[in-house]
Amino acid sequence: MVRKLYIITGEASGDLHASNLMKAILQKDETIDFRYWGGDNMSAVVGKPVKHISELAFMGFIEVVMNLRTILSNINFCKKDILEYKPDALVLVDYPGFNLRIAKWAKEQGIPVIYYISPQIWAWKQNRVHTIKKVVDKMLVILPFEKDFYGKFGMDVTFVGNPLLDAVEQFRAKSDKVDLYAKHGLDKRPVIALLPGSRKQEINTKLPIMLESLSAFNNYQFVIAGAPALPASFYEPFLKNSKNVHLIHGETYDLLSIATAALVTSGTATLETALFEVPEVVCYKGSSISYQIAKRLIKVDYISLVNLILQKEAVKELIQNECNSKLIEKELKLVLPGQAKHDQIKKDYAELIQVLGDGGASETAAAQVLEVIKN
């Protein structure tokens, strides 16, 4: 009998992790059938998404309210699609605003719910854990402290390791790495990477500020990591008046593998940059209303995964008003080779990798998913 899994993710990082989960599941049981909401990484494994992540990513309180009609329409469509597909289990990957609504509904339908990559409720809205306990049958977490957090509430939780370790290791093992210097006409100067995010709203806010900070670094060239779901044309207005700046798409790991330093928006990219041992400055700026709301709700001391995992400021975080061109320039200079913070960041990255463990997250998560649907 063919077992069926319905997977939902709505962001670029979730697409990457879900694709590796799908590969690991198929390695253990090639008869599993998938239907999913995701992106190009998942499509490369099997089939096409029901909805592509380019249609799904909305950021911040104001942006969500402005797109509420679209979000509600997607939720209703998703419910109908799940009922028609009749999966043996639902696998939800991050994307909490959408996925927790689907989880509650799926539980009412008697569909087993597996959540892979926890919503960051430990950062804010911690009372959501009681809802999650009611609607999620199995929680698979990727940050060490999350197991203890959920364990306090008696949830069935497994720490599977962090899938980024596997993704980075897979990249390093590739024999056909891209020569970015030749492919994109880069000169011989060292590269500073700009990772301004994957959503239009955050790129529009942060990339101009990043670009304003670069005039003092004539000995370097700058490369923007384009978001997979956005066309090159979206970036053209930013590049018109920016000298010494290149754009690449779909080659972020190739970029990080040659980068000397990076400016990175908060999120998964901060951890990816650290795993490539690239000294970074974390830049975050949101709409003023969204920031004021978040400031009153967030219950953690840091916004970057690097600092959250290490529980100290290993990388500098420039948040809201501090996210300006003068401070970015100052902090970027400090992390370059031969400067004050460079060697310390490298030491902190080594500690980070030790804390995250030995990898194998996708395989461990796949085994957990198969156990749920086969039992």
Side-chain angles (χ1 to χ4, degrees):
M1 181 176 70
V2 175
R3 302 282 186 177
K4 298 192 291 185
L5 286 173
Y6 199 107
I7 304 177
I8 305 174
T9 188
E11 298 169 317
S13 60
D15 173 51
L16 172 66
H17 299 324
S19 70
N20 286 327
L21 175 64
M22 291 165 70
K23 290 176 192 174
I25 288 172
L26 289 173
Q27 286 173 354
K28 295 176 183 297
D29 187 341
E30 61 184 16
T31 69
I32 298 294
D33 187 71
F34 296 104
R35 189 166 176 82
Y36 60 89
W37 294 38
D40 296 343
N41 287 301
M42 297 171 78
S43 296
V45 180
V46 60
K48 293 182 179 180
V50 178
K51 289 274 188 178
H52 195 278
I53 57 173
S54 59
E55 305 174 62
L56 305 173
F58 302 107
M59 177 191 175
F61 300 97
I62 303 304
E63 293 80 5
V64 168
V65 170
M66 289 174 62
N67 291 281
L68 193 57
R69 181 175 294 180
T70 299
I71 294 168
L72 293 175
S73 174
N74 284 338
I75 288 172
N76 290 331
F77 172 76
C78 184
K79 291 175 181 178
K80 292 177 184 177
D81 197 55
I82 292 170
L83 286 178
E84 289 177 7
Y85 183 63
K86 298 178 181 177
D88 292 286
L90 186 63
V91 179
L92 307 175
V93 184
D94 202 2
Y95 198 43
F98 187 94
N99 274 339
L100 287 177
R101 287 177 172 84
I102 296 297
K104 181 179 179 181
W105 169 84
K107 187 69 174 179
E108 293 169 353
Q109 309 306 310
I111 302 169
V113 177
I114 304 163
Y115 214 117
Y116 179 44
I117 305 179
S118 164
Q120 295 181 356
I121 60 167
W122 35 264
W124 63 325
K125 294 189 178 180
Q126 291 190 3
N127 60 335
R128 272 189 175 184
V129 72
H130 302 292
T131 300
I132 291 174
K133 184 178 179 180
K134 292 176 184 176
V135 302
V136 172
D137 297 288
K138 182 71 178 181
M139 178 67 72
L140 306 176
V141 300
I142 65 169
L143 300 173
F145 59 81
E146 291 177 326
K147 180 174 174 60
D148 291 335
F149 174 79
Y150 283 108
K152 288 188 298 186
F153 298 94
M155 282 193 66
D156 184 1
V157 56
T158 300
F159 171 58
V160 298
N162 197 291
L164 285 180
L165 288 169
D166 303 325
V168 171
E169 186 58 36
Q170 288 169 16
F171 170 82
R172 285 177 168 152
K174 284 171 56 177
S175 58
D176 58 342
K177 295 185 184 69
V178 176
D179 182 348
L180 291 189
Y181 285 92
K183 182 176 179 180
H184 296 284
L186 304 182
D187 58 44
K188 294 182 179 180
R189 287 175 296 171
V191 167
I192 293 177
L194 307 181
L195 281 69
S198 61
R199 305 177 185 94
K200 287 183 180 180
Q201 295 100 321
E202 62 183 345
I203 296 168
N204 281 327
T205 301
K206 288 168 228 170
L207 184 54
I209 301 171
M210 290 180 176
L211 293 172
E212 285 172 15
S213 71
L214 305 182
S215 58
F217 300 91
N218 293 325
N219 294 328
Y220 293 85
Q221 57 191 320
F222 301 90
V223 182
I224 301 168
L230 298 176
S233 59
F234 171 76
Y235 293 88
E236 287 175 4
F238 302 108
L239 297 172
K240 279 183 180 177
N241 300 316
S242 300
K243 298 178 181 179
N244 194 27
V245 180
H246 304 262
L247 172 71
I248 67 166
H249 264 89
E251 297 166 323
T252 301
Y253 281 12
D254 297 275
L255 172 58
L256 289 174
S257 72
I258 65 168
T260 297
L263 300 178
V264 189
T265 195
S266 60
T268 302
T270 63
L271 185 53
E272 290 175 306
T273 303
L275 294 179
F276 276 94
E277 301 179 56
V278 179
E280 65 187 293
V281 179
V282 177
C283 308
Y284 177 82
K285 191 179 183 81
S287 73
S288 139
I289 295 174
S290 293
Y291 174 70
Q292 289 301 326
I293 294 171
K295 187 177 178 181
R296 286 160 174 76
L297 295 175
I298 288 177
K299 301 180 185 298
V300 292
D301 295 327
Y302 307 105
I303 63 167
S304 71
L305 286 175
V306 176
N307 292 344
L308 280 167
I309 294 167
L310 290 175
Q311 285 299 294
K312 63 181 179 182
E313 191 179 63
V315 296
K316 183 64 178 179
E317 299 179 351
L318 297 176
I319 303 171
Q320 207 62 10
N321 292 334
E322 289 188 344
C323 185
N324 61 66
S325 58
K326 288 185 179 180
L327 282 178
I328 291 174
E329 176 186 326
K330 174 187 172 185
E331 293 298 330
L332 182 55
K333 285 179 179 177
L334 292 176
V335 303
L336 293 175
Q339 300 304 310
K341 291 187 177 180
H342 182 272
D343 292 344
Q344 183 58 50
I345 287 179
K346 294 274 190 173
K347 289 178 184 176
D348 288 333
Y349 284 169
E351 180 185 346
L352 174 76
I353 292 168
Q354 275 192 324
V355 171
L356 288 175
D358 299 325
S362 299
E363 288 74 16
T364 304
Q368 293 288 322
V369 170
L370 290 173
E371 183 179 341
V372 170
I373 64 173
K374 289 181 177 179
N375 292 338

